[in-house]
Short mmCIF file of all heavy atoms in Angstrom, two decimals:
data_model
loop_
_atom_site.label_atom_id
_atom_site.label_comp_id
_atom_site.label_asym_id
_atom_site.label_seq_id
_atom_site.Cartn_x
_atom_site.Cartn_y
_atom_site.Cartn_z
N PHE A 986 60.74 -56.14 9.22
CA PHE A 986 60.41 -54.72 9.35
C PHE A 986 60.16 -54.31 10.79
O PHE A 986 60.36 -53.15 11.16
CB PHE A 986 59.22 -54.38 8.46
CG PHE A 986 59.58 -54.40 6.99
CD1 PHE A 986 59.16 -55.43 6.17
CD2 PHE A 986 60.39 -53.42 6.46
CE1 PHE A 986 59.52 -55.47 4.84
CE2 PHE A 986 60.76 -53.44 5.13
CZ PHE A 986 60.33 -54.47 4.31
N GLY A 987 59.76 -55.25 11.65
CA GLY A 987 59.66 -54.94 13.07
C GLY A 987 61.03 -54.62 13.65
O GLY A 987 61.20 -53.67 14.43
N THR A 988 62.03 -55.42 13.29
CA THR A 988 63.40 -55.16 13.72
C THR A 988 63.89 -53.81 13.19
O THR A 988 64.56 -53.05 13.90
CB THR A 988 64.34 -56.28 13.22
OG1 THR A 988 63.90 -57.53 13.74
CG2 THR A 988 65.77 -56.03 13.65
N LEU A 989 63.52 -53.50 11.95
CA LEU A 989 63.94 -52.24 11.35
C LEU A 989 63.32 -51.05 12.08
O LEU A 989 63.99 -50.03 12.32
CB LEU A 989 63.55 -52.23 9.87
CG LEU A 989 64.02 -51.04 9.04
CD1 LEU A 989 65.53 -50.87 9.12
CD2 LEU A 989 63.58 -51.20 7.59
N LEU A 990 62.06 -51.16 12.46
CA LEU A 990 61.44 -50.07 13.22
C LEU A 990 62.12 -49.89 14.57
O LEU A 990 62.34 -48.76 15.03
CB LEU A 990 59.95 -50.34 13.42
CG LEU A 990 59.04 -50.30 12.19
CD1 LEU A 990 57.58 -50.28 12.62
CD2 LEU A 990 59.35 -49.12 11.29
N THR A 991 62.46 -51.01 15.21
CA THR A 991 63.18 -50.91 16.49
C THR A 991 64.52 -50.21 16.30
O THR A 991 64.91 -49.36 17.11
CB THR A 991 63.39 -52.32 17.08
OG1 THR A 991 62.12 -52.94 17.28
CG2 THR A 991 64.12 -52.24 18.42
N ALA A 992 65.21 -50.54 15.22
CA ALA A 992 66.49 -49.88 14.93
C ALA A 992 66.31 -48.39 14.72
O ALA A 992 67.17 -47.58 15.12
CB ALA A 992 67.14 -50.52 13.71
N SER A 993 65.19 -47.99 14.12
CA SER A 993 64.99 -46.57 13.80
C SER A 993 64.85 -45.70 15.04
O SER A 993 65.02 -44.48 14.97
CB SER A 993 63.75 -46.40 12.91
OG SER A 993 62.55 -46.60 13.64
N ARG A 994 64.54 -46.32 16.20
CA ARG A 994 64.47 -45.53 17.44
C ARG A 994 65.79 -44.82 17.71
O ARG A 994 65.81 -43.67 18.16
CB ARG A 994 64.14 -46.44 18.62
CG ARG A 994 62.79 -47.08 18.63
CD ARG A 994 62.73 -48.04 19.82
NE ARG A 994 61.51 -48.81 19.88
CZ ARG A 994 61.36 -49.88 20.65
NH1 ARG A 994 62.35 -50.26 21.44
NH2 ARG A 994 60.22 -50.53 20.66
N ALA A 995 66.88 -45.54 17.46
CA ALA A 995 68.21 -44.98 17.77
C ALA A 995 68.56 -43.81 16.88
O ALA A 995 69.42 -43.00 17.23
CB ALA A 995 69.26 -46.08 17.63
N TRP A 996 67.92 -43.70 15.72
CA TRP A 996 68.26 -42.63 14.78
C TRP A 996 67.59 -41.31 15.13
O TRP A 996 67.92 -40.28 14.56
CB TRP A 996 67.88 -43.05 13.36
CG TRP A 996 68.49 -44.35 12.95
CD1 TRP A 996 69.65 -44.90 13.45
CD2 TRP A 996 68.00 -45.29 11.99
NE1 TRP A 996 69.89 -46.13 12.85
CE2 TRP A 996 68.89 -46.39 11.95
CE3 TRP A 996 66.88 -45.32 11.16
CZ2 TRP A 996 68.70 -47.48 11.11
CZ3 TRP A 996 66.69 -46.40 10.32
CH2 TRP A 996 67.59 -47.47 10.30
N ARG A 997 66.64 -41.35 16.09
CA ARG A 997 65.96 -40.11 16.45
C ARG A 997 66.92 -39.12 17.10
O ARG A 997 66.70 -37.92 17.05
CB ARG A 997 64.79 -40.41 17.40
CG ARG A 997 63.66 -41.17 16.75
CD ARG A 997 62.54 -41.49 17.72
NE ARG A 997 62.97 -42.36 18.82
CZ ARG A 997 62.15 -42.93 19.68
NH1 ARG A 997 60.85 -42.69 19.61
NH2 ARG A 997 62.61 -43.71 20.63
N GLY A 998 68.00 -39.66 17.69
CA GLY A 998 68.96 -38.77 18.35
C GLY A 998 70.04 -38.23 17.43
O GLY A 998 70.88 -37.43 17.86
N LEU A 999 70.06 -38.66 16.19
CA LEU A 999 71.05 -38.15 15.24
C LEU A 999 70.66 -36.75 14.79
O LEU A 999 69.49 -36.37 14.80
CB LEU A 999 71.16 -39.09 14.03
CG LEU A 999 71.55 -40.54 14.33
CD1 LEU A 999 71.61 -41.34 13.04
CD2 LEU A 999 72.89 -40.60 15.06
N GLU A 1000 71.66 -36.00 14.34
CA GLU A 1000 71.41 -34.64 13.88
C GLU A 1000 72.02 -34.43 12.50
O GLU A 1000 73.24 -34.44 12.34
CB GLU A 1000 72.00 -33.64 14.88
CG GLU A 1000 71.65 -32.19 14.57
CD GLU A 1000 70.15 -31.93 14.51
OE1 GLU A 1000 69.42 -32.43 15.38
OE2 GLU A 1000 69.73 -31.22 13.58
N PRO A 1001 71.18 -34.24 11.46
CA PRO A 1001 69.72 -34.29 11.51
C PRO A 1001 69.23 -35.74 11.53
O PRO A 1001 69.94 -36.64 11.05
CB PRO A 1001 69.31 -33.60 10.20
CG PRO A 1001 70.44 -33.89 9.27
CD PRO A 1001 71.68 -33.89 10.12
N PRO A 1002 68.05 -35.99 12.07
CA PRO A 1002 67.54 -37.37 12.12
C PRO A 1002 67.19 -37.87 10.73
O PRO A 1002 66.53 -37.16 9.96
CB PRO A 1002 66.29 -37.26 13.00
CG PRO A 1002 65.87 -35.83 12.86
CD PRO A 1002 67.12 -35.03 12.70
N PRO A 1003 67.65 -39.06 10.36
CA PRO A 1003 67.33 -39.58 9.03
C PRO A 1003 65.86 -40.00 8.93
O PRO A 1003 65.22 -40.28 9.94
CB PRO A 1003 68.24 -40.80 8.90
CG PRO A 1003 68.47 -41.24 10.30
CD PRO A 1003 68.48 -39.98 11.14
N LEU A 1004 65.37 -40.03 7.71
CA LEU A 1004 64.03 -40.55 7.44
C LEU A 1004 64.18 -41.96 6.89
O LEU A 1004 64.94 -42.20 5.95
CB LEU A 1004 63.31 -39.68 6.42
CG LEU A 1004 61.96 -40.24 5.91
CD1 LEU A 1004 60.93 -40.22 7.03
CD2 LEU A 1004 61.47 -39.46 4.70
N LEU A 1005 63.46 -42.91 7.47
CA LEU A 1005 63.39 -44.27 6.95
C LEU A 1005 62.13 -44.38 6.10
O LEU A 1005 61.01 -44.23 6.59
CB LEU A 1005 63.33 -45.29 8.09
CG LEU A 1005 63.01 -46.74 7.68
CD1 LEU A 1005 64.06 -47.29 6.73
CD2 LEU A 1005 62.89 -47.62 8.92
N ALA A 1006 62.30 -44.64 4.80
CA ALA A 1006 61.18 -44.84 3.88
C ALA A 1006 61.09 -46.31 3.54
O ALA A 1006 62.09 -46.94 3.20
CB ALA A 1006 61.37 -44.00 2.62
N VAL A 1007 59.89 -46.87 3.64
CA VAL A 1007 59.67 -48.29 3.37
C VAL A 1007 58.68 -48.42 2.23
O VAL A 1007 57.52 -48.01 2.35
CB VAL A 1007 59.14 -49.02 4.62
CG1 VAL A 1007 58.91 -50.50 4.31
CG2 VAL A 1007 60.11 -48.87 5.79
N ALA A 1008 59.14 -48.97 1.11
CA ALA A 1008 58.28 -49.18 -0.05
C ALA A 1008 57.81 -50.62 -0.07
O ALA A 1008 58.62 -51.55 -0.03
CB ALA A 1008 59.03 -48.86 -1.34
N GLY A 1009 56.50 -50.82 -0.11
CA GLY A 1009 55.96 -52.16 -0.12
C GLY A 1009 54.60 -52.19 0.55
O GLY A 1009 54.20 -51.26 1.25
N GLU A 1010 53.90 -53.29 0.33
CA GLU A 1010 52.57 -53.45 0.90
C GLU A 1010 52.46 -54.84 1.49
O GLU A 1010 53.25 -55.73 1.16
CB GLU A 1010 51.52 -53.25 -0.21
CG GLU A 1010 50.12 -52.99 0.29
CD GLU A 1010 50.05 -51.81 1.25
OE1 GLU A 1010 49.95 -50.66 0.79
OE2 GLU A 1010 50.11 -52.07 2.47
N GLY A 1011 51.49 -55.05 2.38
CA GLY A 1011 51.33 -56.37 2.95
C GLY A 1011 50.48 -56.34 4.20
O GLY A 1011 50.09 -55.26 4.70
N PRO A 1012 50.21 -57.51 4.77
CA PRO A 1012 49.28 -57.61 5.90
C PRO A 1012 49.78 -56.96 7.18
O PRO A 1012 48.98 -56.66 8.07
CB PRO A 1012 49.12 -59.12 6.09
CG PRO A 1012 50.35 -59.73 5.48
CD PRO A 1012 50.69 -58.84 4.33
N ASP A 1013 51.08 -56.74 7.33
CA ASP A 1013 51.61 -56.14 8.55
C ASP A 1013 51.55 -54.62 8.54
O ASP A 1013 51.93 -53.98 9.53
CB ASP A 1013 53.06 -56.58 8.77
CG ASP A 1013 53.15 -57.94 9.43
OD1 ASP A 1013 52.10 -58.58 9.61
OD2 ASP A 1013 54.28 -58.38 9.74
N ARG A 1014 51.07 -54.02 7.46
CA ARG A 1014 51.08 -52.56 7.38
C ARG A 1014 50.33 -51.90 8.54
O ARG A 1014 50.86 -50.95 9.15
CB ARG A 1014 50.52 -52.10 6.04
CG ARG A 1014 50.50 -50.57 5.89
CD ARG A 1014 49.80 -50.14 4.62
NE ARG A 1014 49.74 -48.69 4.53
CZ ARG A 1014 50.59 -47.92 3.87
NH1 ARG A 1014 51.60 -48.48 3.22
NH2 ARG A 1014 50.47 -46.61 3.85
N PRO A 1015 49.11 -52.32 8.90
CA PRO A 1015 48.41 -51.64 10.01
C PRO A 1015 49.19 -51.69 11.32
O PRO A 1015 49.27 -50.68 12.04
CB PRO A 1015 47.09 -52.42 10.12
CG PRO A 1015 46.88 -53.00 8.76
CD PRO A 1015 48.24 -53.35 8.27
N ALA A 1016 49.78 -52.85 11.64
CA ALA A 1016 50.54 -52.96 12.89
C ALA A 1016 51.79 -52.08 12.85
O ALA A 1016 52.14 -51.43 13.85
CB ALA A 1016 50.93 -54.43 13.13
N LEU A 1017 52.46 -52.04 11.72
CA LEU A 1017 53.64 -51.18 11.60
C LEU A 1017 53.25 -49.71 11.72
O LEU A 1017 53.94 -48.93 12.38
CB LEU A 1017 54.34 -51.44 10.27
CG LEU A 1017 54.94 -52.84 10.07
CD1 LEU A 1017 55.48 -52.99 8.66
CD2 LEU A 1017 56.04 -53.11 11.09
N ARG A 1018 52.13 -49.34 11.08
CA ARG A 1018 51.66 -47.96 11.17
C ARG A 1018 51.36 -47.57 12.61
O ARG A 1018 51.73 -46.48 13.06
CB ARG A 1018 50.40 -47.81 10.30
CG ARG A 1018 49.60 -46.53 10.51
CD ARG A 1018 50.43 -45.28 10.30
NE ARG A 1018 50.95 -45.21 8.94
CZ ARG A 1018 51.89 -44.36 8.56
NH1 ARG A 1018 52.45 -43.55 9.45
NH2 ARG A 1018 52.30 -44.35 7.31
N ARG A 1019 50.73 -48.47 13.37
CA ARG A 1019 50.42 -48.17 14.78
C ARG A 1019 51.71 -47.96 15.57
O ARG A 1019 51.78 -47.06 16.42
CB ARG A 1019 49.59 -49.30 15.38
CG ARG A 1019 48.14 -49.33 14.90
CD ARG A 1019 47.28 -50.25 15.75
NE ARG A 1019 47.68 -51.64 15.61
CZ ARG A 1019 47.18 -52.46 14.67
NH1 ARG A 1019 46.29 -52.01 13.81
NH2 ARG A 1019 47.57 -53.72 14.61
N ARG A 1020 52.70 -48.78 15.34
CA ARG A 1020 53.98 -48.61 16.05
C ARG A 1020 54.63 -47.28 15.70
O ARG A 1020 55.17 -46.58 16.57
CB ARG A 1020 54.94 -49.74 15.67
CG ARG A 1020 54.86 -50.97 16.54
CD ARG A 1020 56.12 -51.82 16.39
NE ARG A 1020 57.30 -51.15 16.92
CZ ARG A 1020 58.54 -51.63 16.82
NH1 ARG A 1020 58.76 -52.78 16.19
NH2 ARG A 1020 59.55 -50.98 17.35
N ILE A 1021 54.61 -46.93 14.43
CA ILE A 1021 55.24 -45.67 14.01
C ILE A 1021 54.59 -44.49 14.71
O ILE A 1021 55.28 -43.58 15.20
CB ILE A 1021 55.14 -45.53 12.47
CG1 ILE A 1021 56.00 -46.58 11.78
CG2 ILE A 1021 55.55 -44.13 12.03
CD1 ILE A 1021 55.74 -46.73 10.30
N GLU A 1022 53.27 -44.51 14.78
CA GLU A 1022 52.56 -43.40 15.41
C GLU A 1022 52.73 -43.41 16.93
O GLU A 1022 52.96 -42.35 17.54
CB GLU A 1022 51.08 -43.48 15.05
CG GLU A 1022 50.82 -43.24 13.56
CD GLU A 1022 49.36 -43.46 13.19
OE1 GLU A 1022 48.59 -43.94 14.06
OE2 GLU A 1022 48.99 -43.15 12.04
N ALA A 1023 52.65 -44.59 17.55
CA ALA A 1023 52.73 -44.68 19.00
C ALA A 1023 54.12 -44.30 19.51
O ALA A 1023 54.26 -43.66 20.57
CB ALA A 1023 52.36 -46.08 19.47
N GLU A 1024 55.16 -44.69 18.76
CA GLU A 1024 56.53 -44.45 19.21
C GLU A 1024 57.16 -43.22 18.55
O GLU A 1024 58.33 -42.92 18.81
CB GLU A 1024 57.38 -45.69 18.94
CG GLU A 1024 56.87 -46.94 19.64
CD GLU A 1024 57.66 -48.19 19.26
OE1 GLU A 1024 58.88 -48.06 19.01
OE2 GLU A 1024 57.07 -49.27 19.21
N GLU A 1025 56.38 -42.54 17.70
CA GLU A 1025 56.86 -41.34 17.00
C GLU A 1025 58.18 -41.63 16.29
O GLU A 1025 59.18 -40.91 16.46
CB GLU A 1025 57.00 -40.17 17.97
CG GLU A 1025 55.68 -39.77 18.61
CD GLU A 1025 55.82 -38.56 19.53
OE1 GLU A 1025 56.97 -38.21 19.87
OE2 GLU A 1025 54.79 -37.98 19.89
N LEU A 1026 58.18 -42.66 15.48
CA LEU A 1026 59.38 -43.08 14.77
C LEU A 1026 59.55 -42.29 13.48
O LEU A 1026 58.56 -41.94 12.82
CB LEU A 1026 59.30 -44.59 14.45
CG LEU A 1026 59.16 -45.51 15.65
CD1 LEU A 1026 58.99 -46.96 15.19
CD2 LEU A 1026 60.38 -45.39 16.57
N PRO A 1027 60.80 -42.03 13.08
CA PRO A 1027 61.06 -41.28 11.83
C PRO A 1027 60.93 -42.19 10.61
O PRO A 1027 61.89 -42.43 9.86
CB PRO A 1027 62.50 -40.80 12.03
CG PRO A 1027 63.14 -41.87 12.86
CD PRO A 1027 62.05 -42.37 13.79
N VAL A 1028 59.74 -42.72 10.42
CA VAL A 1028 59.50 -43.73 9.38
C VAL A 1028 58.30 -43.33 8.56
O VAL A 1028 57.28 -42.88 9.10
CB VAL A 1028 59.26 -45.12 10.00
CG1 VAL A 1028 59.04 -46.17 8.90
CG2 VAL A 1028 60.42 -45.53 10.90
N ARG A 1029 58.39 -43.55 7.25
CA ARG A 1029 57.25 -43.30 6.36
C ARG A 1029 57.00 -44.55 5.53
O ARG A 1029 57.91 -45.05 4.86
CB ARG A 1029 57.53 -42.11 5.46
CG ARG A 1029 56.36 -41.78 4.54
CD ARG A 1029 56.59 -40.51 3.75
NE ARG A 1029 55.50 -40.30 2.81
CZ ARG A 1029 55.47 -39.33 1.91
NH1 ARG A 1029 56.49 -38.47 1.84
NH2 ARG A 1029 54.45 -39.20 1.08
N LEU A 1030 55.77 -45.06 5.58
CA LEU A 1030 55.38 -46.21 4.76
C LEU A 1030 54.86 -45.69 3.43
O LEU A 1030 53.88 -44.93 3.39
CB LEU A 1030 54.31 -47.04 5.47
CG LEU A 1030 54.69 -47.61 6.84
CD1 LEU A 1030 53.52 -48.42 7.42
CD2 LEU A 1030 55.95 -48.46 6.75
#
Side-chain angles (χ1 to χ4, degrees):
F986 289 106
T988 301
L989 185 56
L990 292 193
T991 301
S993 73
R994 294 175 185 166
W996 305 334
R997 292 178 297 190
L999 301 179
E1000 187 57 44
L1004 172 68
L1005 170 61
V1007 180
E1010 197 55 85
D1013 278 6
R1014 180 186 177 96
L1017 296 174
R1018 167 57 61 193
R1019 287 193 294 271
R1020 271 199 66 185
I1021 292 167
E1022 293 174 352
E1024 301 175 33
E1025 298 182 346
L1026 300 176
V1028 181
R1029 182 174 175 185
L1030 301 181

